[in-house]
């Protein structure tokens, strides 16, 4: 990695012009995360490459449903869901190294086999690595809301991004977004509703699907009376 890469967020490096939904900060790794990265990445990590990925091969089985999770953070929800749904395979994409280390550690502790991790911008993973019609579902839990108006262009959920997602979904596959920021919930609802390839499974917001665990942060917010909005749409 060059000195420039280490000091500048990826989206501010002069050769990277596309607006990104994340800012890369240097996070410190715990010893446990570092150990998990060294010992578990070779088995469960997939290096980003601008070439198609065979999902059946990556998970060493073809009969399972394939779910993409974008921006798993520290991976707590990912690990819990994967444990609850052993017949599903989860391709988990995140840019932050401590998060990747954290999820690998959870996988080792729980002997979880049905997750593979790519550490890269999910937009490029979708564009370059995933075949059309290859996914049974997409999870996007608490995407960065980018509160300020001048930052709204950084929001992950945009019409063009949703079109890209739809191209990767099988007919009947779902997109599940959860957010705790009401204005972003309204934004997501509007963007998903405007996409003709998608159908809402609810009148507007959905009941929280049982597989999505409550995070510590969410629990605290709910006790304080803050809302959380789930949106579940299906590809027609
Ligand atoms: C607010 S956090 C939520 C994390 C987690 N889903 C949760 O519920 O705790 C959003 C995460 O999405 C990741 N992220 C944002 N844009 C991304 C992208 N284009 N590709 C991969 N990860 C992304 C960020 O790095 C961050 O960890």
């Amino acid at each position: 990695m060059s000195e420039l890469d280490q000091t500048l967020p990826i989206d501010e490096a002069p050769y990277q012009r596309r607006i990104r939904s994340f800012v890369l900060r240097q996070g410190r790794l715990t010893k446990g995360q570092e150990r998990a990265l060294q010992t578990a990445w070779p088995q469960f990590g997939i290096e980003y490459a601008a070439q198609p990925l065979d999902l059946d091969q990556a998970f060493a089985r073809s009969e399972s449903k394939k779910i993409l999770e974008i921006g798993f953070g520290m991976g707590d929800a990912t690990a819990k869901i994967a444990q609850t749904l052993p017949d599903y395979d989860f391709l988990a994409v995140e840019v932050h190294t401590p998060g990747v280390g954290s999820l690998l550690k959870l996988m080792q502790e729980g002997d979880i086999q049905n997750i593979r991790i790519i550490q890269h911008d999910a937009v490029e993973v979708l564009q370059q690595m995933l075949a059309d019609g290859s996914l049974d579902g997409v999870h996007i839990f608490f995407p960065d809301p980018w509160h300020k108006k001048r930052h709204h262009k950084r929001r992950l959920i945009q019409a063009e991004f949703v079109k890209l997602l739809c191209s990767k979904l099988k007919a009947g596959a779902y997109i599940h977004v959860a957010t705790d920021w009401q204005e972003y919930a309204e934004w997501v609802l509007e963007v998903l509703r405007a996409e003709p390839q998608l159908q809402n499974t609810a009148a507007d917001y959905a009941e929280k699907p049982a597989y999505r665990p409550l995070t510590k942060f969410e629990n605290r917010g709910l006790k304080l009376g803050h809302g959380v909005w789930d949106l579940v749409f299906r590809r027609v």
Side-chain angles (χ1 to χ4, degrees):
M1 207 187 249
S2 75
E3 212 175 297
L4 179 72
D5 291 333
Q6 283 170 3
T7 51
L8 276 178
I10 194 168
D11 52 344
E12 283 174 34
Y15 49 86
Q16 298 271 7
R17 298 256 174 242
R18 194 167 62 72
I19 297 164
R20 292 181 189 265
S21 56
F22 57 88
V23 174
L24 265 193
R25 289 185 196 89
Q26 301 303 317
R28 240 206 251 136
L29 289 172
T30 65
K31 283 266 173 287
Q33 291 164 359
E34 211 172 299
R35 205 173 312 117
L37 279 164
Q38 279 162 10
T39 54
W41 176 262
Q43 192 182 351
F44 300 114
I46 296 174
E47 297 295 341
Y48 171 79
Q51 59 187 49
L53 171 71
D54 182 332
L55 285 175
D56 289 345
Q57 200 176 47
F59 289 95
R61 57 179 182 174
S62 57
E63 67 283 8
S64 53
K65 304 252 190 229
K66 303 291 193 286
I67 309 296
L68 170 71
E69 180 173 358
I70 299 178
F72 59 76
M74 300 309 274
D76 299 273
T78 319
K80 280 196 188 134
I81 295 172
Q83 256 173 333
T84 317
L85 301 172
D87 296 336
Y88 286 64
D89 287 325
F90 297 89
L91 182 65
V93 182
E94 174 56 68
V95 289
H96 281 119
T97 310
V100 174
S102 166
L103 179 54
L104 286 169
K105 186 165 173 285
L106 292 170
M107 289 171 67
Q108 284 183 319
E109 287 164 356
D111 191 22
I112 300 168
Q113 305 287 325
N114 54 338
I115 299 174
R116 298 292 178 274
I117 303 176
I118 301 180
Q119 184 175 8
H120 197 79
D121 182 352
V123 176
E124 287 178 10
V125 171
L126 280 160
Q127 286 170 337
Q128 304 292 338
M129 296 185 81
L130 296 180
D132 287 353
S134 60
L135 296 173
D136 294 280
V138 178
H139 294 171
I140 308 176
F141 299 151
F142 305 97
D144 301 289
W146 291 105
H147 303 104
K148 292 181 186 153
K149 198 157 189 200
R150 68 189 155 91
H151 286 151
H152 284 181
K153 56 182 181 293
R154 282 176 169 276
R155 287 179 166 175
L156 181 66
I157 316 283
Q158 310 274 353
E160 196 189 339
F161 169 76
V162 171
K163 273 225 178 316
L164 172 64
L165 262 190
C166 284
S167 69
K168 306 299 169 184
L169 294 179
K170 292 177 186 163
Y174 67 90
I175 298 179
H176 178 184
V177 182
T179 179
D180 57 355
W181 187 251
Q182 184 169 6
E183 189 264 324
Y184 196 22
E186 287 162 8
W187 166 294
V188 175
L189 185 62
E190 195 178 312
V191 173
L192 296 184
R193 264 185 181 157
E195 171 51 60
Q197 298 172 88
L198 291 176
Q199 216 164 46
N200 199 347
T201 62
D204 40 43
Y205 302 105
E207 289 281 309
K208 182 182 84 60
Y211 58 77
R212 187 175 73 71
L214 279 186
T215 62
K216 266 183 258 164
F217 162 80
E218 190 178 353
N219 239 332
R220 207 167 46 226
L222 286 172
K223 279 185 195 142
L224 291 168
H226 301 164
V228 171
W229 293 265
D230 284 88
L231 300 101
V232 184
F233 278 65
R234 279 200 187 277
R235 169 89 159 79
V236 290

